[in-house]
Amino acid sequence: MRRVTTISQLHRALDKLPGSIAFVPTMGFLHDGHLALMRHGLTRADHLVVSVFVNPTQFGPDEDLDAYPRDLDGDADKCRDVGCDIFFSPSRDEIYGDDHCTRINVDRLDSHLCGVDRPGHFQGVATIVTKLFNIIDPDVAVFGQKDRQQLAIIRRLVRDLNFAIDVDGVPTVREDDGLALSSRNRYLDDDQRRQATSLSRGLVAAHRAFDEDPQMSCARLLEAARAPVEDQPDARIDYAECVRPHSLTPCCPDEPVGEAGAIIAIAAHIGPARLIDNLRIDRPLPEGPLRSLP
Ligand code: PAF
């Protein structure tokens, strides 16, 4: 594995790699969820490039940019073990210099869900992902389904800006108790960590409610999703929404999900961490921990 920090080093390393490139962009502090993206990438192309860059433009002024966990050497070891070819960890200066003034906006898709509580966040994500796509020129880029809105925004960006890149979404990796893996889980103490499982329990409750009565209104499904989270002393829900799977537009609250299907998406602060999770409710529960929740 080549470890590079500048764009020119990266290009020299890429020149030596004939064949197709899969790309996994990350902000580091890698966990099994990231490794699943990488393993998927390796099945889709000849070579794998992973970037680690804690992108300042996607953090709001009161968010956790400075506290965001970092472990560059540990990340590089994990990438090497998985079979990554190039590990790219640029500095902030390498990416933005001091006079960067271009921003990418993906209208509409960024105006609800996380876009409401994190103004500017998706503009920062779209900008860095566009830049990394231009720098690396991959054939396939891999993102997690945990960040559904991000995935939808990147897909639209790729389509609208005519990037010749396949965007693959990989299912969420979870702990045995259902908690979706996230670098931000490390902000939780033991009790908050236990409370955080209420997000996935809420999603499974909504899934079961839908299974029992597919005619149940979206508003009632959302009540089922919210209830376990609202029971937690340290939880504050940012949103719980029932949305269409691809457009992520809200379903009508008084109506059942219907043939178009739905995802329930939830975001909540648990103590110091803002966590997100989502689940497609009109499909069987994915293999894994969610199936064995009580
Ligand atoms: O999902 C993330 O970790 C980030 O939003 C991404 C895609 C690496 C852009 O900084």
Side-chain angles (χ1 to χ4, degrees):
M1 184 182 84
R2 288 291 313 280
R3 204 173 152 172
V4 298
T5 55
T6 67
I7 295 170
S8 56
Q9 286 169 348
L10 173 81
H11 285 160
R12 280 200 296 279
L14 280 169
D15 282 347
K16 294 193 185 112
L17 295 181
S20 55
I21 299 287
F23 171 47
V24 177
T26 79
M27 297 207 302
F29 209 69
L30 303 177
H31 51 63
D32 284 351
H34 297 110
L35 302 188
L37 307 184
M38 295 180 205
R39 291 194 184 99
H40 176 84
L42 284 165
T43 68
R44 294 279 279 117
D46 300 318
H47 303 288
L48 176 66
V49 177
V50 175
S51 66
V52 172
F53 180 64
V54 182
N55 173 38
T57 63
Q58 69 188 76
F59 288 80
D62 300 325
E63 291 187 355
D64 56 343
L65 173 61
D66 293 333
Y68 198 83
R70 290 160 169 88
D71 177 19
L72 216 47
D73 291 338
D75 289 344
D77 288 344
K78 287 178 185 151
C79 289
R80 189 178 293 107
D81 290 348
V82 155
C84 170
D85 295 276
I86 302 179
F87 178 86
F88 178 47
S89 57
S91 67
R92 181 187 180 138
D93 245 29
E94 182 70 9
I95 294 296
Y96 288 116
D98 56 11
D99 59 352
H100 193 281
C101 34
T102 301
R103 294 278 184 270
I104 305 290
N105 273 315
V106 181
D107 285 348
R108 293 201 296 273
L109 271 172
D110 70 352
S111 62
H112 61 320
L113 301 175
C114 288
V116 175
D117 301 294
R118 304 190 70 191
H121 168 69
F122 289 116
Q123 184 193 64
V125 170
T127 302
I128 186 62
V129 169
T130 301
K131 286 169 70 68
L132 291 167
F133 283 177
N134 281 325
I135 292 167
I136 293 162
D137 191 22
D139 300 279
V140 184
V142 191
F143 295 83
Q145 288 176 357
K146 182 169 84 72
D147 299 291
R148 281 274 182 180
Q149 192 174 13
Q150 169 170 285
L151 180 60
I153 285 173
I154 306 292
R155 287 199 160 122
R156 182 67 62 88
L157 175 160
V158 160
R159 198 190 74 185
D160 289 354
L161 298 184
N162 308 97
F163 280 110
I165 300 174
D166 288 345
V167 175
D168 286 8
V170 168
T172 304
V173 179
R174 296 175 182 279
E175 307 272 12
D176 289 345
D177 59 7
L179 180 67
L181 296 196
S182 162
S183 304
R184 290 190 167 98
N185 291 348
R186 69 140 16 196
Y187 298 151
L188 304 168
D189 65 25
D190 288 349
D191 184 44
Q192 291 161 344
R193 162 79 188 62
R194 189 190 48 71
Q195 295 183 45
T197 61
S198 61
L199 273 76
S200 46
R201 285 188 280 116
L203 295 175
V204 169
H207 191 283
R208 286 181 183 146
F210 174 80
D211 270 355
E212 271 163 36
D213 178 9
Q215 294 311 312
M216 188 178 279
S217 72
C218 291
R220 285 197 49 214
L221 293 173
L222 283 175
E223 280 169 28
R226 295 176 72 102
V229 187
E230 284 169 342
D231 276 350
Q232 308 307 315
D234 296 326
R236 179 168 58 81
I237 296 179
D238 265 353
Y239 64 77
E241 296 262 5
C242 192
V243 294
R244 294 301 179 201
H246 300 293
S247 63
L248 301 189
T249 49
C251 303
C252 181
D254 303 330
E255 289 176 15
V257 165
E259 295 212 334
I263 285 171
I264 300 222
I266 188 159
H269 293 265
I270 308 280
R274 182 180 184 280
L275 304 179
I276 57 174
D277 203 349
N278 69 80
L279 186 66
R280 179 99 191 233
I281 52 168
D282 59 314
R283 293 274 187 277
L285 278 176
E287 297 281 336
L290 294 187
R291 291 199 178 182
S292 42
L293 290 190

